[in-house]
Amino acid sequence: QVQLVESGGGLVQPGGSLRLSCVASGFTFSNYAMSWYRQASGKERELVATITSAGGSTNYADSVKGRCTISRDNAKNTVYLQMNILKPEDTAVYCCNARRKWRSYVWDYWGNGTLVTVSS
């Protein structure tokens, strides 16, 4: 079955770094654009970063631009989010998403998330 399993979250001090990973299985990973979303307590889910299926193009939310880098390894069915210069407002549950669109069809898969807490 389809699985997206995130890891790498944890407690980090402001200014620190974390690298999140999301390992996919059960579908053809290289056919899907991958994204990282986050949701802080009491707030709406926010798109953090997206990378195209072949990895040739990326997009970032303004709130993380210049501090985060999304990348993927299609041989390992894994997408990463390198986060630097972390701020308390980056505290959230981070989930990875796989999406594929073909004609009128959309395939959308989600992981359960990994918690990132930025605090001193």
Side-chain angles (χ1 to χ4, degrees), residues 47-75:
L47 175 60
V48 176
T50 298
I51 187 167
T52 53
S53 57
S57 180
T58 58
N59 281 292
Y60 298 92
D62 288 342
S63 57
V64 304
K65 202 170 289 184
R67 299 189 296 119
C68 291
T69 303
I70 188 170
S71 61
R72 65 190 295 161
D73 185 339
N74 285 351

mmCIF file with all atom_site columns, all heavy atoms in Angstrom, residues 47-75:
data_model
loop_
_atom_site.group_PDB
_atom_site.id
_atom_site.type_symbol
_atom_site.label_atom_id
_atom_site.label_alt_id
_atom_site.label_comp_id
_atom_site.label_asym_id
_atom_site.label_entity_id
_atom_site.label_seq_id
_atom_site.pdbx_PDB_ins_code
_atom_site.Cartn_x
_atom_site.Cartn_y
_atom_site.Cartn_z
_atom_site.occupancy
_atom_site.B_iso_or_equiv
_atom_site.pdbx_formal_charge
_atom_site.auth_seq_id
_atom_site.auth_comp_id
_atom_site.auth_asym_id
_atom_site.auth_atom_id
_atom_site.pdbx_PDB_model_num
ATOM 1   N N   . LEU A 1 47 ? 1.727  25.473 2.737   1.00 0.00 ? 47 LEU A N   1
ATOM 2   C CA  . LEU A 1 47 ? 2.671  24.845 1.812   1.00 0.00 ? 47 LEU A CA  1
ATOM 3   C C   . LEU A 1 47 ? 4.051  25.457 2.042   1.00 0.00 ? 47 LEU A C   1
ATOM 4   O O   . LEU A 1 47 ? 4.204  26.678 1.954   1.00 0.00 ? 47 LEU A O   1
ATOM 5   C CB  . LEU A 1 47 ? 2.222  25.065 0.367   1.00 0.00 ? 47 LEU A CB  1
ATOM 6   C CG  . LEU A 1 47 ? 3.163  24.574 -0.730  1.00 0.00 ? 47 LEU A CG  1
ATOM 7   C CD1 . LEU A 1 47 ? 3.390  23.080 -0.634  1.00 0.00 ? 47 LEU A CD1 1
ATOM 8   C CD2 . LEU A 1 47 ? 2.611  24.950 -2.099  1.00 0.00 ? 47 LEU A CD2 1
ATOM 9   N N   . VAL A 1 48 ? 5.038  24.619 2.299   1.00 0.00 ? 48 VAL A N   1
ATOM 10  C CA  . VAL A 1 48 ? 6.389  25.096 2.587   1.00 0.00 ? 48 VAL A CA  1
ATOM 11  C C   . VAL A 1 48 ? 7.255  25.090 1.329   1.00 0.00 ? 48 VAL A C   1
ATOM 12  O O   . VAL A 1 48 ? 7.910  26.077 1.011   1.00 0.00 ? 48 VAL A O   1
ATOM 13  C CB  . VAL A 1 48 ? 7.050  24.224 3.673   1.00 0.00 ? 48 VAL A CB  1
ATOM 14  C CG1 . VAL A 1 48 ? 8.491  24.665 3.909   1.00 0.00 ? 48 VAL A CG1 1
ATOM 15  C CG2 . VAL A 1 48 ? 6.245  24.287 4.962   1.00 0.00 ? 48 VAL A CG2 1
ATOM 16  N N   . ALA A 1 49 ? 7.262  23.952 0.622   1.00 0.00 ? 49 ALA A N   1
ATOM 17  C CA  . ALA A 1 49 ? 8.140  23.824 -0.538  1.00 0.00 ? 49 ALA A CA  1
ATOM 18  C C   . ALA A 1 49 ? 7.642  22.705 -1.440  1.00 0.00 ? 49 ALA A C   1
ATOM 19  O O   . ALA A 1 49 ? 7.030  21.747 -0.956  1.00 0.00 ? 49 ALA A O   1
ATOM 20  C CB  . ALA A 1 49 ? 9.567  23.529 -0.106  1.00 0.00 ? 49 ALA A CB  1
ATOM 21  N N   . THR A 1 50 ? 7.909  22.839 -2.724  1.00 0.00 ? 50 THR A N   1
ATOM 22  C CA  . THR A 1 50 ? 7.521  21.840 -3.718  1.00 0.00 ? 50 THR A CA  1
ATOM 23  C C   . THR A 1 50 ? 8.687  21.593 -4.655  1.00 0.00 ? 50 THR A C   1
ATOM 24  O O   . THR A 1 50 ? 9.429  22.520 -4.988  1.00 0.00 ? 50 THR A O   1
ATOM 25  C CB  . THR A 1 50 ? 6.309  22.322 -4.536  1.00 0.00 ? 50 THR A CB  1
ATOM 26  O OG1 . THR A 1 50 ? 5.204  22.507 -3.659  1.00 0.00 ? 50 THR A OG1 1
ATOM 27  C CG2 . THR A 1 50 ? 5.928  21.316 -5.605  1.00 0.00 ? 50 THR A CG2 1
ATOM 28  N N   . ILE A 1 51 ? 8.810  20.332 -5.094  1.00 0.00 ? 51 ILE A N   1
ATOM 29  C CA  . ILE A 1 51 ? 9.811  19.972 -6.091  1.00 0.00 ? 51 ILE A CA  1
ATOM 30  C C   . ILE A 1 51 ? 9.134  19.117 -7.153  1.00 0.00 ? 51 ILE A C   1
ATOM 31  O O   . ILE A 1 51 ? 8.312  18.253 -6.837  1.00 0.00 ? 51 ILE A O   1
ATOM 32  C CB  . ILE A 1 51 ? 11.013 19.249 -5.440  1.00 0.00 ? 51 ILE A CB  1
ATOM 33  C CG1 . ILE A 1 51 ? 12.133 19.019 -6.453  1.00 0.00 ? 51 ILE A CG1 1
ATOM 34  C CG2 . ILE A 1 51 ? 10.591 17.939 -4.773  1.00 0.00 ? 51 ILE A CG2 1
ATOM 35  C CD1 . ILE A 1 51 ? 13.461 18.596 -5.801  1.00 0.00 ? 51 ILE A CD1 1
ATOM 36  N N   . THR A 1 52 ? 9.459  19.387 -8.406  1.00 0.00 ? 52 THR A N   1
ATOM 37  C CA  . THR A 1 52 ? 8.839  18.636 -9.495  1.00 0.00 ? 52 THR A CA  1
ATOM 38  C C   . THR A 1 52 ? 9.340  17.194 -9.522  1.00 0.00 ? 52 THR A C   1
ATOM 39  O O   . THR A 1 52 ? 10.304 16.834 -8.832  1.00 0.00 ? 52 THR A O   1
ATOM 40  C CB  . THR A 1 52 ? 9.137  19.324 -10.835 1.00 0.00 ? 52 THR A CB  1
ATOM 41  O OG1 . THR A 1 52 ? 10.550 19.530 -10.960 1.00 0.00 ? 52 THR A OG1 1
ATOM 42  C CG2 . THR A 1 52 ? 8.411  20.653 -10.928 1.00 0.00 ? 52 THR A CG2 1
ATOM 43  N N   . SER A 1 53 ? 8.681  16.369 -10.338 1.00 0.00 ? 53 SER A N   1
ATOM 44  C CA  . SER A 1 53 ? 8.944  14.929 -10.323 1.00 0.00 ? 53 SER A CA  1
ATOM 45  C C   . SER A 1 53 ? 10.398 14.581 -10.636 1.00 0.00 ? 53 SER A C   1
ATOM 46  O O   . SER A 1 53 ? 10.970 13.672 -10.021 1.00 0.00 ? 53 SER A O   1
ATOM 47  C CB  . SER A 1 53 ? 8.016  14.217 -11.302 1.00 0.00 ? 53 SER A CB  1
ATOM 48  O OG  . SER A 1 53 ? 8.163  14.739 -12.607 1.00 0.00 ? 53 SER A OG  1
ATOM 49  N N   . ALA A 1 54 ? 11.005 15.308 -11.555 1.00 0.00 ? 54 ALA A N   1
ATOM 50  C CA  . ALA A 1 54 ? 12.397 15.037 -11.903 1.00 0.00 ? 54 ALA A CA  1
ATOM 51  C C   . ALA A 1 54 ? 13.372 15.883 -11.105 1.00 0.00 ? 54 ALA A C   1
ATOM 52  O O   . ALA A 1 54 ? 14.594 15.742 -11.262 1.00 0.00 ? 54 ALA A O   1
ATOM 53  C CB  . ALA A 1 54 ? 12.614 15.271 -13.395 1.00 0.00 ? 54 ALA A CB  1
ATOM 54  N N   . GLY A 1 55 ? 12.827 16.759 -10.286 1.00 0.00 ? 55 GLY A N   1
ATOM 55  C CA  . GLY A 1 55 ? 13.691 17.586 -9.447  1.00 0.00 ? 55 GLY A CA  1
ATOM 56  C C   . GLY A 1 55 ? 14.228 18.830 -10.121 1.00 0.00 ? 55 GLY A C   1
ATOM 57  O O   . GLY A 1 55 ? 15.084 19.508 -9.576  1.00 0.00 ? 55 GLY A O   1
ATOM 58  N N   . GLY A 1 56 ? 13.681 19.149 -11.283 1.00 0.00 ? 56 GLY A N   1
ATOM 59  C CA  . GLY A 1 56 ? 14.244 20.266 -12.019 1.00 0.00 ? 56 GLY A CA  1
ATOM 60  C C   . GLY A 1 56 ? 13.770 21.632 -11.581 1.00 0.00 ? 56 GLY A C   1
ATOM 61  O O   . GLY A 1 56 ? 14.353 22.644 -11.959 1.00 0.00 ? 56 GLY A O   1
ATOM 62  N N   . SER A 1 57 ? 12.703 21.675 -10.793 1.00 0.00 ? 57 SER A N   1
ATOM 63  C CA  . SER A 1 57 ? 12.155 22.965 -10.388 1.00 0.00 ? 57 SER A CA  1
ATOM 64  C C   . SER A 1 57 ? 11.657 22.881 -8.949  1.00 0.00 ? 57 SER A C   1
ATOM 65  O O   . SER A 1 57 ? 11.095 21.869 -8.533  1.00 0.00 ? 57 SER A O   1
ATOM 66  C CB  . SER A 1 57 ? 11.001 23.349 -11.316 1.00 0.00 ? 57 SER A CB  1
ATOM 67  O OG  . SER A 1 57 ? 10.456 24.592 -10.944 1.00 0.00 ? 57 SER A OG  1
ATOM 68  N N   . THR A 1 58 ? 11.883 23.953 -8.217  1.00 0.00 ? 58 THR A N   1
ATOM 69  C CA  . THR A 1 58 ? 11.437 24.031 -6.829  1.00 0.00 ? 58 THR A CA  1
ATOM 70  C C   . THR A 1 58 ? 10.728 25.353 -6.578  1.00 0.00 ? 58 THR A C   1
ATOM 71  O O   . THR A 1 58 ? 10.975 26.348 -7.280  1.00 0.00 ? 58 THR A O   1
ATOM 72  C CB  . THR A 1 58 ? 12.628 23.916 -5.859  1.00 0.00 ? 58 THR A CB  1
ATOM 73  O OG1 . THR A 1 58 ? 13.569 24.956 -6.153  1.00 0.00 ? 58 THR A OG1 1
ATOM 74  C CG2 . THR A 1 58 ? 13.316 22.562 -5.975  1.00 0.00 ? 58 THR A CG2 1
ATOM 75  N N   . ASN A 1 59 ? 9.870  25.352 -5.585  1.00 0.00 ? 59 ASN A N   1
ATOM 76  C CA  . ASN A 1 59 ? 9.206  26.581 -5.154  1.00 0.00 ? 59 ASN A CA  1
ATOM 77  C C   . ASN A 1 59 ? 9.128  26.579 -3.636  1.00 0.00 ? 59 ASN A C   1
ATOM 78  O O   . ASN A 1 59 ? 9.010  25.520 -3.013  1.00 0.00 ? 59 ASN A O   1
ATOM 79  C CB  . ASN A 1 59 ? 7.786  26.670 -5.733  1.00 0.00 ? 59 ASN A CB  1
ATOM 80  C CG  . ASN A 1 59 ? 7.804  27.122 -7.175  1.00 0.00 ? 59 ASN A CG  1
ATOM 81  O OD1 . ASN A 1 59 ? 8.138  28.248 -7.488  1.00 0.00 ? 59 ASN A OD1 1
ATOM 82  N ND2 . ASN A 1 59 ? 7.460  26.217 -8.068  1.00 0.00 ? 59 ASN A ND2 1
ATOM 83  N N   . TYR A 1 60 ? 9.167  27.793 -3.063  1.00 0.00 ? 60 TYR A N   1
ATOM 84  C CA  . TYR A 1 60 ? 9.186  27.918 -1.610  1.00 0.00 ? 60 TYR A CA  1
ATOM 85  C C   . TYR A 1 60 ? 8.189  28.982 -1.162  1.00 0.00 ? 60 TYR A C   1
ATOM 86  O O   . TYR A 1 60 ? 7.958  29.979 -1.849  1.00 0.00 ? 60 TYR A O   1
ATOM 87  C CB  . TYR A 1 60 ? 10.581 28.313 -1.126  1.00 0.00 ? 60 TYR A CB  1
ATOM 88  C CG  . TYR A 1 60 ? 11.635 27.287 -1.442  1.00 0.00 ? 60 TYR A CG  1
ATOM 89  C CD1 . TYR A 1 60 ? 12.372 27.364 -2.620  1.00 0.00 ? 60 TYR A CD1 1
ATOM 90  C CD2 . TYR A 1 60 ? 11.879 26.234 -0.570  1.00 0.00 ? 60 TYR A CD2 1
ATOM 91  C CE1 . TYR A 1 60 ? 13.320 26.408 -2.927  1.00 0.00 ? 60 TYR A CE1 1
ATOM 92  C CE2 . TYR A 1 60 ? 12.834 25.274 -0.863  1.00 0.00 ? 60 TYR A CE2 1
ATOM 93  C CZ  . TYR A 1 60 ? 13.556 25.362 -2.040  1.00 0.00 ? 60 TYR A CZ  1
ATOM 94  O OH  . TYR A 1 60 ? 14.501 24.419 -2.338  1.00 0.00 ? 60 TYR A OH  1
ATOM 95  N N   . ALA A 1 61 ? 7.664  28.783 0.033   1.00 0.00 ? 61 ALA A N   1
ATOM 96  C CA  . ALA A 1 61 ? 6.883  29.832 0.669   1.00 0.00 ? 61 ALA A CA  1
ATOM 97  C C   . ALA A 1 61 ? 7.820  30.985 1.012   1.00 0.00 ? 61 ALA A C   1
ATOM 98  O O   . ALA A 1 61 ? 8.987  30.776 1.339   1.00 0.00 ? 61 ALA A O   1
ATOM 99  C CB  . ALA A 1 61 ? 6.221  29.296 1.925   1.00 0.00 ? 61 ALA A CB  1
ATOM 100 N N   . ASP A 1 62 ? 7.290  32.190 0.964   1.00 0.00 ? 62 ASP A N   1
ATOM 101 C CA  . ASP A 1 62 ? 8.113  33.359 1.298   1.00 0.00 ? 62 ASP A CA  1
ATOM 102 C C   . ASP A 1 62 ? 8.683  33.249 2.707   1.00 0.00 ? 62 ASP A C   1
ATOM 103 O O   . ASP A 1 62 ? 9.786  33.728 2.972   1.00 0.00 ? 62 ASP A O   1
ATOM 104 C CB  . ASP A 1 62 ? 7.283  34.633 1.169   1.00 0.00 ? 62 ASP A CB  1
ATOM 105 C CG  . ASP A 1 62 ? 6.984  34.995 -0.265  1.00 0.00 ? 62 ASP A CG  1
ATOM 106 O OD1 . ASP A 1 62 ? 7.670  34.484 -1.180  1.00 0.00 ? 62 ASP A OD1 1
ATOM 107 O OD2 . ASP A 1 62 ? 6.056  35.804 -0.487  1.00 0.00 ? 62 ASP A OD2 1
ATOM 108 N N   . SER A 1 63 ? 7.933  32.596 3.589   1.00 0.00 ? 63 SER A N   1
ATOM 109 C CA  . SER A 1 63 ? 8.354  32.520 4.991   1.00 0.00 ? 63 SER A CA  1
ATOM 110 C C   . SER A 1 63 ? 9.606  31.668 5.197   1.00 0.00 ? 63 SER A C   1
ATOM 111 O O   . SER A 1 63 ? 10.266 31.779 6.240   1.00 0.00 ? 63 SER A O   1
ATOM 112 C CB  . SER A 1 63 ? 7.210  31.967 5.846   1.00 0.00 ? 63 SER A CB  1
ATOM 113 O OG  . SER A 1 63 ? 6.803  30.702 5.356   1.00 0.00 ? 63 SER A OG  1
ATOM 114 N N   . VAL A 1 64 ? 9.951  30.812 4.230   1.00 0.00 ? 64 VAL A N   1
ATOM 115 C CA  . VAL A 1 64 ? 11.126 29.950 4.387   1.00 0.00 ? 64 VAL A CA  1
ATOM 116 C C   . VAL A 1 64 ? 12.160 30.171 3.288   1.00 0.00 ? 64 VAL A C   1
ATOM 117 O O   . VAL A 1 64 ? 13.241 29.566 3.328   1.00 0.00 ? 64 VAL A O   1
ATOM 118 C CB  . VAL A 1 64 ? 10.736 28.454 4.419   1.00 0.00 ? 64 VAL A CB  1
ATOM 119 C CG1 . VAL A 1 64 ? 9.724  28.193 5.528   1.00 0.00 ? 64 VAL A CG1 1
ATOM 120 C CG2 . VAL A 1 64 ? 10.215 27.978 3.075   1.00 0.00 ? 64 VAL A CG2 1
ATOM 121 N N   . LYS A 1 65 ? 11.858 31.012 2.320   1.00 0.00 ? 65 LYS A N   1
ATOM 122 C CA  . LYS A 1 65 ? 12.764 31.219 1.190   1.00 0.00 ? 65 LYS A CA  1
ATOM 123 C C   . LYS A 1 65 ? 14.120 31.705 1.692   1.00 0.00 ? 65 LYS A C   1
ATOM 124 O O   . LYS A 1 65 ? 14.207 32.602 2.521   1.00 0.00 ? 65 LYS A O   1
ATOM 125 C CB  . LYS A 1 65 ? 12.147 32.238 0.227   1.00 0.00 ? 65 LYS A CB  1
ATOM 126 C CG  . LYS A 1 65 ? 12.668 32.163 -1.187  1.00 0.00 ? 65 LYS A CG  1
ATOM 127 C CD  . LYS A 1 65 ? 11.822 33.029 -2.117  1.00 0.00 ? 65 LYS A CD  1
ATOM 128 C CE  . LYS A 1 65 ? 10.455 32.437 -2.350  1.00 0.00 ? 65 LYS A CE  1
ATOM 129 N NZ  . LYS A 1 65 ? 9.645  33.208 -3.311  1.00 0.00 ? 65 LYS A NZ  1
ATOM 130 N N   . GLY A 1 66 ? 15.168 31.056 1.205   1.00 0.00 ? 66 GLY A N   1
ATOM 131 C CA  . GLY A 1 66 ? 16.521 31.397 1.622   1.00 0.00 ? 66 GLY A CA  1
ATOM 132 C C   . GLY A 1 66 ? 16.999 30.643 2.838   1.00 0.00 ? 66 GLY A C   1
ATOM 133 O O   . GLY A 1 66 ? 18.195 30.651 3.152   1.00 0.00 ? 66 GLY A O   1
ATOM 134 N N   . ARG A 1 67 ? 16.067 29.971 3.542   1.00 0.00 ? 67 ARG A N   1
ATOM 135 C CA  . ARG A 1 67 ? 16.444 29.206 4.741   1.00 0.00 ? 67 ARG A CA  1
ATOM 136 C C   . ARG A 1 67 ? 16.236 27.707 4.550   1.00 0.00 ? 67 ARG A C   1
ATOM 137 O O   . ARG A 1 67 ? 16.819 26.923 5.291   1.00 0.00 ? 67 ARG A O   1
ATOM 138 C CB  . ARG A 1 67 ? 15.623 29.673 5.942   1.00 0.00 ? 67 ARG A CB  1
ATOM 139 C CG  . ARG A 1 67 ? 15.813 31.125 6.298   1.00 0.00 ? 67 ARG A CG  1
ATOM 140 C CD  . ARG A 1 67 ? 15.137 31.460 7.631   1.00 0.00 ? 67 ARG A CD  1
ATOM 141 N NE  . ARG A 1 67 ? 13.695 31.293 7.589   1.00 0.00 ? 67 ARG A NE  1
ATOM 142 C CZ  . ARG A 1 67 ? 13.021 30.435 8.357   1.00 0.00 ? 67 ARG A CZ  1
ATOM 143 N NH1 . ARG A 1 67 ? 13.661 29.654 9.211   1.00 0.00 ? 67 ARG A NH1 1
ATOM 144 N NH2 . ARG A 1 67 ? 11.698 30.359 8.269   1.00 0.00 ? 67 ARG A NH2 1
ATOM 145 N N   . CYS A 1 68 ? 15.417 27.333 3.594   1.00 0.00 ? 68 CYS A N   1
ATOM 146 C CA  . CYS A 1 68 ? 15.086 25.918 3.402   1.00 0.00 ? 68 CYS A CA  1
ATOM 147 C C   . CYS A 1 68 ? 15.410 25.479 1.977   1.00 0.00 ? 68 CYS A C   1
ATOM 148 O O   . CYS A 1 68 ? 15.313 26.286 1.036   1.00 0.00 ? 68 CYS A O   1
ATOM 149 C CB  . CYS A 1 68 ? 13.600 25.666 3.657   1.00 0.00 ? 68 CYS A CB  1
ATOM 150 S SG  . CYS A 1 68 ? 13.114 25.854 5.379   1.00 0.00 ? 68 CYS A SG  1
ATOM 151 N N   . THR A 1 69 ? 15.754 24.210 1.851   1.00 0.00 ? 69 THR A N   1
ATOM 152 C CA  . THR A 1 69 ? 16.025 23.624 0.547   1.00 0.00 ? 69 THR A CA  1
ATOM 153 C C   . THR A 1 69 ? 15.334 22.272 0.450   1.00 0.00 ? 69 THR A C   1
ATOM 154 O O   . THR A 1 69 ? 15.546 21.412 1.311   1.00 0.00 ? 69 THR A O   1
ATOM 155 C CB  . THR A 1 69 ? 17.530 23.433 0.315   1.00 0.00 ? 69 THR A CB  1
ATOM 156 O OG1 . THR A 1 69 ? 18.201 24.685 0.445   1.00 0.00 ? 69 THR A OG1 1
ATOM 157 C CG2 . THR A 1 69 ? 17.789 22.859 -1.072  1.00 0.00 ? 69 THR A CG2 1
ATOM 158 N N   . ILE A 1 70 ? 14.500 22.119 -0.583  1.00 0.00 ? 70 ILE A N   1
ATOM 159 C CA  . ILE A 1 70 ? 13.867 20.832 -0.833  1.00 0.00 ? 70 ILE A CA  1
ATOM 160 C C   . ILE A 1 70 ? 14.670 20.108 -1.909  1.00 0.00 ? 70 ILE A C   1
ATOM 161 O O   . ILE A 1 70 ? 15.127 20.719 -2.876  1.00 0.00 ? 70 ILE A O   1
ATOM 162 C CB  . ILE A 1 70 ? 12.383 21.010 -1.248  1.00 0.00 ? 70 ILE A CB  1
ATOM 163 C CG1 . ILE A 1 70 ? 11.674 19.650 -1.324  1.00 0.00 ? 70 ILE A CG1 1
ATOM 164 C CG2 . ILE A 1 70 ? 12.250 21.782 -2.552  1.00 0.00 ? 70 ILE A CG2 1
ATOM 165 C CD1 . ILE A 1 70 ? 10.157 19.768 -1.499  1.00 0.00 ? 70 ILE A CD1 1
ATOM 166 N N   . SER A 1 71 ? 14.830 18.816 -1.742  1.00 0.00 ? 71 SER A N   1
ATOM 167 C CA  . SER A 1 71 ? 15.541 18.006 -2.723  1.00 0.00 ? 71 SER A CA  1
ATOM 168 C C   . SER A 1 71 ? 14.951 16.603 -2.719  1.00 0.00 ? 71 SER A C   1
ATOM 169 O O   . SER A 1 71 ? 14.179 16.251 -1.824  1.00 0.00 ? 71 SER A O   1
ATOM 170 C CB  . SER A 1 71 ? 17.044 17.955 -2.413  1.00 0.00 ? 71 SER A CB  1
ATOM 171 O OG  . SER A 1 71 ? 17.276 17.378 -1.137  1.00 0.00 ? 71 SER A OG  1
ATOM 172 N N   . ARG A 1 72 ? 15.309 15.824 -3.724  1.00 0.00 ? 72 ARG A N   1
ATOM 173 C CA  . ARG A 1 72 ? 14.787 14.466 -3.795  1.00 0.00 ? 72 ARG A CA  1
ATOM 174 C C   . ARG A 1 72 ? 15.825 13.544 -4.397  1.00 0.00 ? 72 ARG A C   1
ATOM 175 O O   . ARG A 1 72 ? 16.689 13.980 -5.183  1.00 0.00 ? 72 ARG A O   1
ATOM 176 C CB  . ARG A 1 72 ? 13.500 14.420 -4.615  1.00 0.00 ? 72 ARG A CB  1
ATOM 177 C CG  . ARG A 1 72 ? 13.647 14.769 -6.073  1.00 0.00 ? 72 ARG A CG  1
ATOM 178 C CD  . ARG A 1 72 ? 12.265 14.926 -6.742  1.00 0.00 ? 72 ARG A CD  1
ATOM 179 N NE  . ARG A 1 72 ? 11.513 13.677 -6.761  1.00 0.00 ? 72 ARG A NE  1
ATOM 180 C CZ  . ARG A 1 72 ? 10.194 13.600 -6.933  1.00 0.00 ? 72 ARG A CZ  1
ATOM 181 N NH1 . ARG A 1 72 ? 9.476  14.710 -7.098  1.00 0.00 ? 72 ARG A NH1 1
ATOM 182 N NH2 . ARG A 1 72 ? 9.583  12.423 -6.937  1.00 0.00 ? 72 ARG A NH2 1
ATOM 183 N N   . ASP A 1 73 ? 15.702 12.276 -4.040  1.00 0.00 ? 73 ASP A N   1
ATOM 184 C CA  . ASP A 1 73 ? 16.536 11.231 -4.604  1.00 0.00 ? 73 ASP A CA  1
ATOM 185 C C   . ASP A 1 73 ? 15.583 10.159 -5.121  1.00 0.00 ? 73 ASP A C   1
ATOM 186 O O   . ASP A 1 73 ? 15.049 9.361  -4.329  1.00 0.00 ? 73 ASP A O   1
ATOM 187 C CB  . ASP A 1 73 ? 17.482 10.670 -3.541  1.00 0.00 ? 73 ASP A CB  1
ATOM 188 C CG  . ASP A 1 73 ? 18.463 9.650  -4.096  1.00 0.00 ? 73 ASP A CG  1
ATOM 189 O OD1 . ASP A 1 73 ? 18.190 9.074  -5.170  1.00 0.00 ? 73 ASP A OD1 1
ATOM 190 O OD2 . ASP A 1 73 ? 19.485 9.408  -3.459  1.00 0.00 ? 73 ASP A OD2 1
ATOM 191 N N   . ASN A 1 74 ? 15.342 10.167 -6.404  1.00 0.00 ? 74 ASN A N   1
ATOM 192 C CA  . ASN A 1 74 ? 14.367 9.229  -6.968  1.00 0.00 ? 74 ASN A CA  1
ATOM 193 C C   . ASN A 1 74 ? 14.832 7.781  -6.883  1.00 0.00 ? 74 ASN A C   1
ATOM 194 O O   . ASN A 1 74 ? 14.006 6.861  -6.884  1.00 0.00 ? 74 ASN A O   1
ATOM 195 C CB  . ASN A 1 74 ? 14.044 9.604  -8.406  1.00 0.00 ? 74 ASN A CB  1
ATOM 196 C CG  . ASN A 1 74 ? 13.127 10.815 -8.487  1.00 0.00 ? 74 ASN A CG  1
ATOM 197 O OD1 . ASN A 1 74 ? 12.584 11.281 -7.483  1.00 0.00 ? 74 ASN A OD1 1
ATOM 198 N ND2 . ASN A 1 74 ? 12.955 11.363 -9.685  1.00 0.00 ? 74 ASN A ND2 1
ATOM 199 N N   . ALA A 1 75 ? 16.134 7.564  -6.774  1.00 0.00 ? 75 ALA A N   1
ATOM 200 C CA  . ALA A 1 75 ? 16.643 6.199  -6.626  1.00 0.00 ? 75 ALA A CA  1
ATOM 201 C C   . ALA A 1 75 ? 16.328 5.641  -5.238  1.00 0.00 ? 75 ALA A C   1
ATOM 202 O O   . ALA A 1 75 ? 16.244 4.418  -5.056  1.00 0.00 ? 75 ALA A O   1
ATOM 203 C CB  . ALA A 1 75 ? 18.140 6.172  -6.877  1.00 0.00 ? 75 ALA A CB  1
#
